[in-house]
Amino acid sequence: MQITKDYDLERVWINPIRAKELGIKDGDLVEVKSNEATSKIRVKVTERIHPEALFVPSHYGITSKHLKTGNGVGFGYMEHVPFDFEPWSGAGMIHEVIVRVRKVEV
């Protein structure tokens, strides 16, 4: 958990090109919305991510009441992923989901 705090990893990463298009600046609060869920989280603007993707660090057990240090830390990205199978391979889709991102006016 200290690494998470030291490197400010509780944020969803977005490319600067996409962030600019959406009027989002580093540290802004954004809404991430999929067909399954809607969440709010702060954003990290970085060139280390493709403009058409978001990166979410580990969810650290955010939803588990049994994890004393991880509960409530991070972003519960699995809430956004539908239980489905990828049609070409038949493998479970466990990380792929289309989301909409918008800046939350505070």
Side-chain angles (χ1 to χ4, degrees):
M1 299 312 298
Q2 192 60 50
I3 291 171
T4 298
K5 292 174 183 173
D6 289 348
Y7 292 96
D8 201 12
L9 295 177
E10 286 188 73
R11 299 192 284 165
V12 63
W13 294 13
I14 191 170
N15 182 279
I17 294 167
R18 179 59 60 158
K20 186 175 180 181
E21 290 171 359
L22 297 173
I24 296 170
K25 294 187 172 95
D26 191 66
D28 282 349
L29 184 65
V30 297
E31 178 184 84
V32 178
K33 186 173 185 176
S34 69
N35 289 338
E36 304 294 318
T38 301
S39 301
K40 292 180 182 170
I41 189 159
R42 299 245 170 243
V43 70
K44 176 181 180 73
V45 177
T46 177
E47 303 242 357
R48 293 183 175 192
I49 187 70
H50 190 279
E52 295 297 320
L54 291 179
F55 171 74
V56 180
S58 173
H59 58 79
Y60 306 101
I62 186 171
T63 59
S64 175
K65 295 174 186 169
H66 303 290
L67 296 176
K68 294 180 181 174
T69 58
N71 183 264
V73 176
F75 177 77
Y77 59 83
M78 290 306 293
E79 296 172 9
H80 290 270
V81 180
F83 178 76
D84 206 354
F85 292 97
E86 198 283 318
W88 289 96
S89 68
M93 296 174 67
I94 59 171
H95 291 97
E96 301 84 3
V97 65
I98 295 174
V99 297
R100 291 172 294 286
V101 179
R102 72 172 186 87
K103 180 178 176 178
V104 174
E105 299 300 328
V106 185

XYZ file of all heavy atoms in Angstrom:
851
model
N 0.818 -1.182 0.000
C 0.000 0.000 0.000
C 0.869 1.256 0.000
O 0.446 2.272 -0.527
C -0.932 0.003 1.206
C -1.912 -1.157 1.262
S -2.831 -1.503 -0.238
C -3.744 -0.033 -0.480
N 2.073 1.158 0.572
C 2.945 2.334 0.601
C 3.372 2.725 -0.812
O 3.448 3.914 -1.129
C 4.173 2.089 1.481
C 4.937 3.365 1.779
C 4.092 4.401 2.500
O 3.452 4.098 3.504
N 4.073 5.623 2.002
N 3.638 1.746 -1.667
C 3.999 2.046 -3.057
C 2.840 2.774 -3.735
O 3.038 3.737 -4.473
C 4.368 0.764 -3.822
C 5.690 0.217 -3.292
C 4.436 1.011 -5.326
C 6.066 -1.148 -3.817
N 1.628 2.333 -3.491
C 0.449 2.987 -4.045
C 0.395 4.447 -3.621
O 0.147 5.334 -4.435
C -0.834 2.268 -3.575
O -0.796 0.935 -4.067
C -2.081 2.965 -4.065
N 0.657 4.706 -2.355
C 0.628 6.077 -1.855
C 1.803 6.891 -2.394
O 1.642 8.039 -2.804
C 0.623 6.072 -0.335
C -0.680 5.518 0.223
C -0.628 5.381 1.716
C -1.916 4.747 2.207
N -1.882 4.443 3.616
N 3.003 6.298 -2.418
C 4.199 7.011 -2.882
C 4.097 7.424 -4.348
O 4.592 8.474 -4.734
C 5.449 6.152 -2.695
C 5.843 5.990 -1.234
O 5.294 6.714 -0.374
O 6.703 5.138 -0.952
N 3.492 6.571 -5.162
C 3.436 6.821 -6.605
C 2.045 7.246 -7.084
O 1.794 7.291 -8.272
C 3.919 5.592 -7.371
C 5.389 5.350 -7.165
C 5.832 4.459 -6.193
C 6.332 6.037 -7.908
C 7.176 4.246 -5.979
C 7.684 5.841 -7.706
C 8.101 4.936 -6.742
O 9.438 4.732 -6.525
N 1.160 7.554 -6.152
C -0.175 8.055 -6.475
C -0.874 7.151 -7.497
O -1.333 7.595 -8.542
C -0.070 9.490 -7.009
C -1.373 10.249 -6.890
O -2.295 9.766 -6.194
O -1.484 11.316 -7.514
N -0.940 5.855 -7.172
C -1.465 4.863 -8.108
C -2.972 4.656 -8.014
O -3.511 3.803 -8.708
C -0.754 3.522 -7.892
C 0.730 3.523 -8.203
C 1.336 2.158 -7.891
C 0.990 3.899 -9.648
N -3.650 5.409 -7.204
C -5.097 5.257 -7.093
C -5.830 6.083 -8.152
O -6.934 6.539 -7.929
C -5.584 5.699 -5.714
C -5.271 4.739 -4.620
C -5.954 5.156 -3.340
O -7.173 4.998 -3.254
O -5.261 5.658 -2.449
N -5.218 6.267 -9.294
C -5.843 7.072 -10.348
C -5.898 6.272 -11.646
O -5.041 5.442 -11.916
C -5.040 8.359 -10.581
C -4.980 9.240 -9.350
C -4.452 10.612 -9.661
N -3.005 10.614 -9.845
C -2.342 11.629 -10.409
N -2.980 12.700 -10.819
N -1.037 11.573 -10.546
N -6.910 6.550 -12.453
C -7.008 5.955 -13.775
C -6.105 6.775 -14.711
O -6.053 7.994 -14.613
C -8.479 5.915 -14.257
C -9.062 7.292 -14.418
C -8.614 5.117 -15.521
N -5.346 6.083 -15.558
C -4.413 6.760 -16.460
C -5.090 7.046 -17.789
O -5.814 6.203 -18.326
C -3.201 5.888 -16.725
C -2.314 5.622 -15.552
C -2.584 5.855 -14.234
C -1.017 5.049 -15.598
N -1.531 5.451 -13.452
C -0.559 4.950 -14.266
C -0.207 4.603 -16.622
C 0.692 4.426 -13.955
C 1.028 4.081 -16.308
C 1.473 4.004 -14.992
N -4.808 8.232 -18.334
C -5.339 8.628 -19.635
C -4.254 9.380 -20.403
O -3.447 10.090 -19.809
C -6.616 9.487 -19.466
C -7.333 9.691 -20.799
C -6.316 10.799 -18.788
C -8.715 10.311 -20.680
N -4.241 9.219 -21.703
C -3.261 9.866 -22.568
C -3.545 11.378 -22.648
O -4.703 11.789 -22.650
C -3.351 9.229 -23.958
C -2.350 9.788 -24.923
O -2.563 10.850 -25.491
N -1.264 9.074 -25.131
N -2.504 12.214 -22.750
C -2.697 13.665 -22.804
C -3.531 14.135 -24.002
O -4.271 15.110 -23.889
C -1.286 14.237 -22.898
C -0.353 13.143 -22.575
C -1.079 11.852 -22.715
N -3.402 13.439 -25.128
C -4.186 13.828 -26.311
C -5.673 13.659 -26.024
O -6.481 14.557 -26.263
C -3.767 12.998 -27.542
C -2.325 13.329 -27.933
C -4.723 13.214 -28.708
C -1.711 12.342 -28.921
N -6.038 12.494 -25.505
C -7.445 12.225 -25.188
C -7.926 13.131 -24.054
O -9.034 13.646 -24.080
C -7.625 10.757 -24.803
C -9.035 10.384 -24.444
C -10.004 10.639 -25.567
N -9.603 9.840 -26.706
C -10.393 9.490 -27.695
N -11.642 9.834 -27.674
N -9.945 8.786 -28.703
N -7.074 13.328 -23.050
C -7.443 14.188 -21.924
C -7.761 15.600 -22.409
O -8.769 16.195 -21.993
C -6.322 14.211 -20.891
N -6.937 16.127 -23.295
C -7.168 17.477 -23.821
C -8.486 17.543 -24.578
O -9.253 18.499 -24.429
C -6.008 17.889 -24.729
C -6.099 19.311 -25.202
C -4.884 19.717 -26.001
C -5.019 21.161 -26.444
N -3.870 21.586 -27.244
N -8.771 16.523 -25.395
C -10.033 16.478 -26.140
C -11.242 16.508 -25.203
O -12.282 17.062 -25.533
C -10.110 15.213 -26.995
C -9.162 15.184 -28.156
C -9.117 13.822 -28.852
O -9.819 12.879 -28.416
O -8.382 13.710 -29.844
N -11.092 15.877 -24.035
C -12.190 15.777 -23.077
C -12.178 16.898 -22.025
O -13.026 16.921 -21.141
C -12.126 14.417 -22.373
C -12.314 13.198 -23.271
C -12.052 11.910 -22.498
C -13.702 13.183 -23.888
N -11.198 17.806 -22.125
C -11.102 18.907 -21.165
C -10.683 18.458 -19.779
O -11.050 19.068 -18.781
N -9.878 17.394 -19.735
C -9.445 16.803 -18.471
C -7.984 17.143 -18.213
O -7.146 17.028 -19.101
C -9.636 15.271 -18.511
C -11.126 14.924 -18.628
C -9.001 14.616 -17.299
C -11.393 13.462 -18.906
N -7.701 17.527 -16.972
C -6.329 17.828 -16.550
C -5.908 16.839 -15.472
O -6.739 16.246 -14.789
C -6.243 19.253 -16.015
C -6.498 20.303 -17.075
C -6.228 21.686 -16.527
C -6.303 22.699 -17.634
N -7.565 23.350 -17.794
N -4.598 16.679 -15.322
C -4.053 15.777 -14.314
C -4.643 16.097 -12.946
O -4.670 17.258 -12.530
C -2.526 15.912 -14.269
C -1.883 14.822 -13.449
O -1.965 13.655 -13.855
O -1.312 15.142 -12.391
N -5.149 15.068 -12.269
C -5.715 15.233 -10.943
C -7.209 15.494 -10.918
O -7.822 15.467 -9.851
N -7.817 15.760 -12.088
C -9.267 15.992 -12.137
C -10.033 14.748 -11.706
O -9.574 13.616 -11.905
C -9.723 16.363 -13.553
C -9.442 17.804 -13.929
O -9.074 18.598 -13.044
O -9.588 18.133 -15.127
N -11.215 14.972 -11.188
C -12.140 13.895 -10.880
C -12.928 13.591 -12.144
O -13.447 14.515 -12.781
C -13.084 14.295 -9.749
C -14.054 13.229 -9.260
C -13.301 12.064 -8.611
C -15.043 13.834 -8.268
N -12.971 12.305 -12.518
C -13.707 11.910 -13.718
C -14.727 10.840 -13.373
O -14.603 10.135 -12.368
C -12.778 11.389 -14.847
C -11.839 12.480 -15.326
C -12.016 10.149 -14.421
N -15.724 10.746 -14.235
C -16.695 9.672 -14.152
C -16.355 8.664 -15.235
O -16.165 9.035 -16.386
C -18.100 10.219 -14.382
C -19.177 9.160 -14.367
C -20.528 9.731 -14.701
O -20.829 9.857 -15.915
O -21.275 10.059 -13.760
N -16.249 7.406 -14.858
C -16.020 6.316 -15.795
C -17.315 5.514 -15.825
O -17.758 5.020 -14.797
C -14.836 5.427 -15.351
C -14.644 4.271 -16.324
C -13.564 6.253 -15.237
N -17.910 5.411 -17.020
C -19.220 4.768 -17.130
C -19.185 3.675 -18.188
O -18.715 3.887 -19.302
C -20.272 5.810 -17.491
C -21.684 5.291 -17.491
C -22.666 6.413 -17.696
C -24.074 5.882 -17.566
N -25.056 6.948 -17.668
N -19.669 2.503 -17.811
C -19.826 1.385 -18.739
C -21.289 0.960 -18.707
O -22.094 1.564 -17.992
C -18.931 0.210 -18.325
O -19.421 -0.352 -17.114
N -21.624 -0.071 -19.449
C -22.989 -0.601 -19.398
C -23.284 -1.252 -18.051
O -24.435 -1.479 -17.711
C -23.223 -1.610 -20.514
C -23.288 -0.953 -21.867
O -23.560 0.242 -21.983
N -23.016 -1.708 -22.907
N -22.248 -1.568 -17.299
C -22.398 -2.286 -16.032
C -22.377 -1.392 -14.797
O -22.993 -1.719 -13.787
C -21.277 -3.330 -15.888
C -21.187 -4.313 -17.027
C -22.391 -5.222 -17.129
O -22.877 -5.689 -16.084
O -22.864 -5.441 -18.257
N -21.622 -0.297 -14.846
C -21.419 0.503 -13.631
C -20.980 1.924 -13.973
O -20.577 2.217 -15.096
C -20.357 -0.149 -12.749
N -21.050 2.778 -12.969
C -20.544 4.146 -13.047
C -19.690 4.376 -11.812
O -20.118 4.067 -10.697
C -21.692 5.169 -13.087
O -22.519 4.896 -14.223
C -21.167 6.591 -13.177
N -18.472 4.899 -12.014
C -17.553 5.140 -10.905
C -16.930 6.521 -11.054
O -16.866 7.067 -12.152
C -16.436 4.101 -10.896
O -16.942 2.802 -10.789
N -16.430 7.034 -9.949
C -15.689 8.301 -9.973
C -14.306 8.054 -9.402
O -14.146 7.351 -8.409
C -16.415 9.366 -9.162
C -17.715 9.784 -9.808
C -18.419 10.840 -9.006
C -19.742 11.164 -9.692
N -20.581 12.009 -8.860
N -13.302 8.658 -10.066
C -11.911 8.492 -9.638
C -11.090 9.658 -10.190
O -11.451 10.261 -11.208
C -11.346 7.140 -10.122
C -9.975 6.874 -9.493
C -11.304 7.058 -11.635
C -9.554 5.437 -9.476
N -9.999 9.948 -9.546
C -9.080 10.982 -10.044
C -8.282 10.414 -11.215
O -8.105 9.207 -11.339
C -8.138 11.441 -8.944
C -8.886 12.046 -7.789
C -8.576 13.518 -7.608
N -9.496 14.071 -6.632
C -10.376 15.025 -6.898
N -10.450 15.541 -8.100
N -11.180 15.481 -5.972
N -7.791 11.295 -12.056
C -7.112 10.881 -13.284
C -5.636 11.270 -13.255
O -5.264 12.284 -12.677
C -7.833 11.481 -14.519
C -7.633 12.971 -14.617
C -7.403 10.810 -15.791
N -4.819 10.424 -13.863
C -3.394 10.704 -14.076
C -3.201 10.840 -15.576
O -3.469 9.902 -16.326
C -2.534 9.565 -13.540
C -1.048 9.753 -13.811
C -0.265 8.571 -13.259
C 1.210 8.711 -13.504
N 1.838 9.707 -12.670
N -2.760 11.993 -16.024
C -2.505 12.220 -17.444
C -1.058 11.840 -17.716
O -0.140 12.370 -17.099
C -2.776 13.698 -17.837
C -2.441 13.938 -19.292
C -4.232 14.067 -17.539
N -0.866 10.882 -18.629
C 0.482 10.374 -18.907
C 0.588 9.861 -20.334
O -0.373 9.326 -20.877
C 0.861 9.237 -17.922
O 2.146 8.724 -18.272
C -0.151 8.117 -17.931
N 1.756 10.018 -20.906
C 2.030 9.508 -22.253
C 2.221 7.998 -22.243
O 2.367 7.389 -23.294
C 3.295 10.183 -22.810
C 3.185 11.684 -22.844
C 3.275 12.257 -24.247
O 3.480 11.500 -25.185
O 3.135 13.473 -24.351
N 2.222 7.380 -21.098
C 2.480 5.942 -20.984
C 1.264 5.085 -21.315
O 1.277 3.891 -21.064
C 2.976 5.618 -19.579
C 4.326 6.223 -19.316
C 4.832 5.836 -17.970
N 6.187 6.350 -17.813
C 6.987 6.000 -16.865
N 6.601 5.135 -15.951
N 8.194 6.499 -16.800
N 0.219 5.689 -21.865
C -0.977 4.937 -22.219
C -1.444 5.363 -23.611
O -1.312 6.528 -23.988
C -2.085 5.122 -21.145
C -3.279 4.229 -21.386
C -2.526 6.561 -21.053
C -3.013 2.782 -21.144
N -1.950 4.418 -24.380
C -2.433 4.680 -25.736
C -3.636 5.629 -25.680
O -4.455 5.524 -24.766
C -2.843 3.348 -26.387
C -3.118 3.463 -27.840
N -4.319 3.921 -28.323
C -2.346 3.197 -28.915
C -4.290 3.927 -29.647
N -3.097 3.495 -30.023
N -3.773 6.530 -26.656
C -4.892 7.484 -26.639
C -6.285 6.841 -26.664
O -7.258 7.465 -26.270
C -4.676 8.318 -27.899
C -3.234 8.189 -28.228
C -2.831 6.823 -27.741
N -6.383 5.612 -27.121
C -7.687 4.950 -27.198
C -7.963 4.022 -26.012
O -8.901 3.234 -26.057
C -7.777 4.150 -28.506
C -7.742 5.002 -29.751
C -8.925 5.959 -29.842
O -10.052 5.556 -29.500
O -8.710 7.110 -30.248
N -7.146 4.112 -24.968
C -7.302 3.191 -23.846
C -7.177 3.927 -22.517
O -6.688 5.062 -22.464
C -6.236 2.093 -23.920
N -7.637 3.282 -21.484
C -7.391 3.715 -20.109
C -6.600 2.615 -19.433
O -6.714 1.453 -19.791
C -8.698 3.876 -19.327
C -9.627 5.000 -19.705
C -10.864 4.941 -18.822
C -8.951 6.343 -19.577
N -5.823 2.981 -18.439
C -5.138 1.988 -17.628
C -5.585 2.185 -16.190
O -5.630 3.314 -15.690
C -3.622 2.138 -17.717
C -2.884 1.280 -16.726
C -2.777 -0.083 -16.914
C -2.323 1.841 -15.595
C -2.113 -0.885 -15.994
C -1.651 1.059 -14.673
C -1.552 -0.306 -14.876
N -5.933 1.093 -15.548
C -6.334 1.144 -14.154
C -5.398 0.241 -13.361
O -5.344 -0.959 -13.608
C -7.788 0.656 -13.972
C -8.183 0.720 -12.509
C -8.733 1.463 -14.834
N -4.630 0.805 -12.412
C -3.807 -0.051 -11.567
C -4.679 -1.012 -10.770
O -5.900 -0.884 -10.746
C -3.106 0.947 -10.641
C -3.186 2.255 -11.332
C -4.463 2.215 -12.116
N -4.076 -1.928 -10.102
C -4.787 -2.940 -9.315
C -5.891 -2.319 -8.469
O -5.755 -1.202 -7.974
C -3.812 -3.669 -8.396
O -4.513 -4.534 -7.531
N -6.943 -3.083 -8.277
C -8.047 -2.588 -7.449
C -7.809 -2.869 -5.969
O -8.589 -2.447 -5.127
C -9.377 -3.187 -7.892
C -9.407 -4.673 -7.859
N -9.588 -5.375 -6.699
C -9.266 -5.576 -8.851
C -9.572 -6.664 -6.976
N -9.370 -6.817 -8.264
N -6.745 -3.566 -5.616
C -6.300 -3.757 -4.236
C -7.344 -4.399 -3.320
O -7.231 -4.324 -2.118
C -5.847 -2.427 -3.608
C -4.814 -1.717 -4.423
C -5.176 -0.652 -5.237
C -3.492 -2.124 -4.406
C -4.219 -0.003 -6.007
C -2.531 -1.485 -5.166
C -2.911 -0.420 -5.968
O -1.985 0.213 -6.723
N -8.388 -4.960 -3.878
C -9.433 -5.542 -3.045
C -10.418 -4.514 -2.540
O -11.004 -4.669 -1.470
N -10.612 -3.458 -3.310
C -11.455 -2.325 -2.906
C -12.821 -2.733 -2.369
O -13.344 -2.124 -1.457
C -11.618 -1.316 -4.067
C -12.380 -0.076 -3.601
C -12.292 -1.938 -5.258
C -12.404 1.048 -4.606
N -13.404 -3.800 -2.914
C -14.763 -4.171 -2.511
C -14.808 -5.249 -1.428
O -15.886 -5.598 -0.969
C -15.565 -4.659 -3.726
O -14.900 -5.780 -4.306
C -15.718 -3.559 -4.762
N -13.655 -5.763 -1.017
C -13.633 -6.835 -0.022
C -13.601 -6.281 1.395
O -12.637 -5.630 1.796
C -12.417 -7.746 -0.229
O -12.360 -8.703 0.812
N -14.640 -6.565 2.140
C -14.697 -6.119 3.535
C -13.702 -6.878 4.410
O -13.422 -6.482 5.532
C -16.108 -6.295 4.066
C -17.102 -5.417 3.360
C -18.521 -5.699 3.793
C -19.459 -4.869 2.933
N -20.842 -5.248 3.087
N -13.149 -7.970 3.892
C -12.221 -8.798 4.653
C -10.769 -8.308 4.556
O -9.919 -8.767 5.309
C -12.299 -10.246 4.190
C -13.683 -10.813 4.291
N -14.291 -11.089 5.498
C -14.588 -11.114 3.337
C -15.501 -11.552 5.293
N -15.718 -11.573 3.986
N -10.481 -7.413 3.620
C -9.128 -6.895 3.456
C -8.999 -5.567 4.181
O -9.534 -4.557 3.751
C -8.793 -6.731 1.967
C -8.775 -8.030 1.175
C -8.530 -7.749 -0.293
C -7.710 -8.975 1.708
N -8.274 -5.574 5.261
C -8.198 -4.380 6.105
C -7.399 -3.255 5.478
O -7.724 -2.093 5.667
C -7.633 -4.754 7.472
C -8.582 -5.659 8.227
C -8.058 -6.035 9.579
C -9.092 -6.946 10.212
N -8.701 -7.508 11.441
N -6.332 -3.566 4.727
C -5.542 -2.487 4.142
C -5.999 -2.137 2.728
O -5.745 -1.042 2.256
C -4.041 -2.847 4.098
O -3.869 -4.045 3.348
C -3.479 -3.013 5.486
N -6.668 -3.044 2.029
C -7.062 -2.798 0.641
C -8.485 -2.319 0.454
O -8.801 -1.721 -0.565
N -9.338 -2.539 1.426
C -10.739 -2.156 1.280
C -10.874 -0.652 1.091
O -10.345 0.126 1.868
C -11.556 -2.609 2.491
C -13.026 -2.290 2.331
O -13.480 -1.267 2.816
N -13.740 -3.133 1.635
N -11.549 -0.264 0.016
C -11.766 1.149 -0.258
C -10.623 1.838 -0.981
O -10.692 3.028 -1.257
N -9.562 1.105 -1.329
C -8.400 1.696 -2.005
C -8.463 1.365 -3.485
O -8.669 0.224 -3.876
C -7.076 1.153 -1.414
C -5.882 1.698 -2.179
C -6.972 1.504 0.057
N -8.297 2.371 -4.314
C -8.245 2.148 -5.754
C -9.586 2.263 -6.439
O -10.499 2.919 -5.953
N -9.689 1.603 -7.569
C -10.831 1.699 -8.465
C -11.312 0.290 -8.764
O -10.547 -0.549 -9.220
C -10.355 2.390 -9.747
C -11.382 2.517 -10.826
C -12.372 3.481 -10.743
C -11.349 1.692 -11.932
C -13.302 3.617 -11.755
C -12.272 1.821 -12.947
C -13.255 2.790 -12.855
N -12.558 -0.005 -8.509
C -13.103 -1.343 -8.722
C -13.442 -1.596 -10.174
O -14.615 -1.610 -10.537
N -12.431 -1.811 -10.996
C -12.675 -1.946 -12.435
C -13.473 -3.186 -12.790
O -14.170 -3.203 -13.803
C -11.375 -1.904 -13.234
C -10.363 -2.961 -12.903
C -10.442 -4.231 -13.450
C -9.304 -2.675 -12.055
C -9.499 -5.199 -13.149
C -8.361 -3.629 -11.753
C -8.462 -4.890 -12.301
O -7.529 -5.849 -12.004
N -13.434 -4.224 -11.979
C -14.192 -5.430 -12.309
C -15.697 -5.191 -12.247
O -16.466 -5.932 -12.842
C -13.789 -6.591 -11.394
C -12.386 -7.108 -11.665
S -12.063 -7.572 -13.395
C -13.123 -8.991 -13.588
N -16.125 -4.149 -11.579
C -17.541 -3.791 -11.568
C -18.019 -3.387 -12.959
O -19.207 -3.438 -13.253
C -17.792 -2.648 -10.587
C -17.511 -3.011 -9.150
C -17.570 -1.812 -8.227
O -17.999 -0.726 -8.660
O -17.188 -1.973 -7.057
N -17.086 -2.970 -13.809
C -17.415 -2.495 -15.154
C -17.365 -3.591 -16.211
O -17.848 -3.407 -17.312
C -16.451 -1.371 -15.562
C -16.670 -0.120 -14.789
N -17.531 0.861 -15.194
C -16.169 0.294 -13.596
C -17.544 1.834 -14.317
N -16.723 1.516 -13.331
N -16.744 -4.705 -15.902
C -16.529 -5.756 -16.900
C -17.704 -6.734 -16.884
O -17.963 -7.376 -15.871
C -15.202 -6.511 -16.624
C -14.976 -7.597 -17.662
C -14.028 -5.541 -16.617
N -18.392 -6.851 -18.016
C -19.507 -7.803 -18.060
C -18.992 -9.236 -18.101
O -17.903 -9.499 -18.609
C -20.227 -7.457 -19.363
C -19.165 -6.856 -20.223
C -18.207 -6.152 -19.283
N -19.756 -10.155 -17.555
C -19.385 -11.555 -17.668
C -19.779 -11.992 -19.066
O -20.957 -12.077 -19.401
C -20.082 -12.415 -16.623
C -19.739 -13.869 -16.767
C -18.506 -14.329 -16.337
C -20.602 -14.754 -17.376
C -18.160 -15.666 -16.495
C -20.269 -16.087 -17.538
C -19.042 -16.542 -17.099
N -18.775 -12.230 -19.908
C -19.035 -12.583 -21.301
C -17.830 -13.331 -21.848
O -16.770 -13.380 -21.227
C -19.282 -11.318 -22.124
C -20.145 -11.574 -23.348
O -20.469 -12.745 -23.638
O -20.501 -10.595 -24.018
N -17.995 -13.902 -23.022
C -16.907 -14.599 -23.691
C -16.566 -13.903 -24.991
O -17.461 -13.467 -25.721
C -17.286 -16.064 -23.964
C -17.415 -16.866 -22.713
C -18.643 -17.083 -22.123
C -16.284 -17.392 -22.097
C -18.766 -17.804 -20.955
C -16.392 -18.112 -20.919
C -17.634 -18.319 -20.349
N -15.285 -13.816 -25.288
C -14.822 -13.224 -26.534
C -15.188 -14.196 -27.654
O -14.812 -15.368 -27.606
C -13.309 -12.991 -26.447
C -12.771 -12.022 -27.469
C -12.629 -12.622 -28.845
O -12.185 -13.771 -28.951
O -12.972 -11.940 -29.816
N -15.951 -13.755 -28.673
C -16.468 -14.682 -29.671
C -15.404 -15.402 -30.513
O -15.619 -16.537 -30.912
C -17.365 -13.816 -30.555
C -17.207 -12.414 -30.126
C -16.424 -12.394 -28.858
N -14.264 -14.775 -30.773
C -13.258 -15.390 -31.642
C -12.494 -16.499 -30.936
O -12.204 -17.533 -31.517
C -12.287 -14.340 -32.165
C -12.948 -13.441 -33.155
C -13.498 -12.222 -32.894
C -13.180 -13.697 -34.531
N -14.054 -11.700 -34.027
C -13.867 -12.593 -35.060
C -12.880 -14.756 -35.388
C -14.254 -12.498 -36.394
C -13.269 -14.653 -36.718
C -13.942 -13.548 -37.202
N -12.161 -16.267 -29.668
C -11.322 -17.243 -28.970
C -12.099 -18.114 -27.983
O -11.617 -19.174 -27.597
C -10.214 -16.523 -28.201
O -10.774 -15.782 -27.130
N -13.259 -17.663 -27.582
C -14.016 -18.386 -26.576
C -13.500 -18.159 -25.165
O -13.995 -18.736 -24.216
N -12.492 -17.293 -25.026
C -11.927 -16.996 -23.706
C -12.803 -15.973 -22.986
O -13.490 -15.172 -23.617
C -10.505 -16.447 -23.857
N -12.747 -16.015 -21.678
C -13.500 -15.051 -20.886
C -12.947 -13.651 -21.054
O -11.737 -13.450 -21.097
N -13.850 -12.697 -21.189
C -13.438 -11.290 -21.277
C -13.324 -10.771 -19.850
O -14.331 -10.501 -19.196
C -14.462 -10.492 -22.066
C -14.571 -10.936 -23.513
S -15.894 -10.126 -24.407
C -15.302 -8.445 -24.457
N -12.103 -10.662 -19.371
C -11.920 -10.259 -17.982
C -11.267 -8.892 -17.825
O -11.125 -8.396 -16.713
C -11.110 -11.314 -17.202
C -9.741 -11.523 -17.836
C -11.881 -12.614 -17.111
C -8.809 -12.383 -17.008
N -10.862 -8.266 -18.917
C -10.260 -6.939 -18.840
C -10.767 -5.994 -19.909
O -10.436 -4.825 -19.889
C -8.724 -7.024 -18.956
C -8.093 -7.664 -17.779
N -7.746 -8.979 -17.748
C -7.787 -7.181 -16.567
C -7.234 -9.274 -16.580
N -7.249 -8.197 -15.839
N -11.530 -6.488 -20.840
C -11.949 -5.682 -21.971
C -13.339 -5.117 -21.732
O -14.283 -5.859 -21.521
C -11.987 -6.516 -23.261
C -10.663 -7.132 -23.628
C -10.379 -8.457 -22.914
O -11.238 -8.953 -22.153
O -9.292 -8.992 -23.107
N -13.432 -3.791 -21.774
C -14.733 -3.146 -21.623
C -14.651 -1.744 -22.234
O -13.621 -1.085 -22.156
C -15.168 -3.088 -20.142
C -14.253 -2.223 -19.324
C -16.601 -2.626 -20.011
N -15.723 -1.355 -22.870
C -15.800 -0.004 -23.431
C -16.413 0.903 -22.377
O -17.452 0.581 -21.798
C -16.632 0.000 -24.726
C -15.916 -0.827 -25.789
C -16.876 1.433 -25.198
C -16.702 -1.028 -27.054
N -15.751 2.025 -22.144
C -16.236 2.982 -21.154
C -16.305 4.379 -21.758
O -15.653 4.666 -22.758
C -15.331 3.022 -19.892
C -15.326 1.688 -19.175
C -13.924 3.460 -20.230
N -17.090 5.200 -21.116
C -17.146 6.624 -21.436
C -16.536 7.360 -20.251
O -16.795 7.008 -19.094
C -18.587 7.060 -21.668
C -19.182 6.472 -22.941
C -20.671 6.735 -23.093
N -21.522 6.092 -22.104
C -21.826 4.796 -22.066
N -21.326 3.975 -22.960
N -22.625 4.311 -21.139
N -15.755 8.392 -20.560
C -15.085 9.163 -19.505
C -15.474 10.617 -19.663
O -15.459 11.155 -20.765
C -13.545 9.030 -19.610
C -12.854 9.856 -18.536
C -13.124 7.569 -19.529
N -15.835 11.235 -18.546
C -16.128 12.674 -18.583
C -15.648 13.307 -17.287
O -15.633 12.665 -16.225
C -17.608 12.939 -18.800
C -18.479 12.621 -17.626
C -19.938 13.089 -17.841
N -20.705 12.881 -16.636
C -20.794 13.741 -15.624
N -20.141 14.883 -15.674
N -21.523 13.463 -14.564
N -15.258 14.560 -17.387
C -14.821 15.304 -16.212
C -16.034 15.587 -15.341
O -17.108 15.938 -15.832
C -14.168 16.612 -16.643
C -13.676 17.457 -15.493
C -13.003 18.705 -16.003
C -12.588 19.589 -14.851
N -11.898 20.791 -15.319
N -15.850 15.424 -14.045
C -16.910 15.726 -13.071
C -16.696 17.149 -12.610
O -15.617 17.504 -12.125
C -16.857 14.743 -11.879
C -17.850 15.166 -10.819
C -17.108 13.330 -12.343
N -17.708 17.956 -12.786
C -17.626 19.358 -12.307
C -17.872 19.341 -10.800
O -18.879 18.821 -10.333
C -18.656 20.222 -13.017
C -18.470 20.282 -14.523
C -17.128 20.843 -14.963
O -16.566 21.719 -14.248
O -16.641 20.418 -16.015
N -16.923 19.881 -10.065
C -17.024 19.871 -8.600
C -17.576 21.177 -8.106
O -17.363 22.216 -8.561
C -15.630 19.613 -7.972
C -15.746 19.487 -6.474
C -15.029 18.368 -8.565
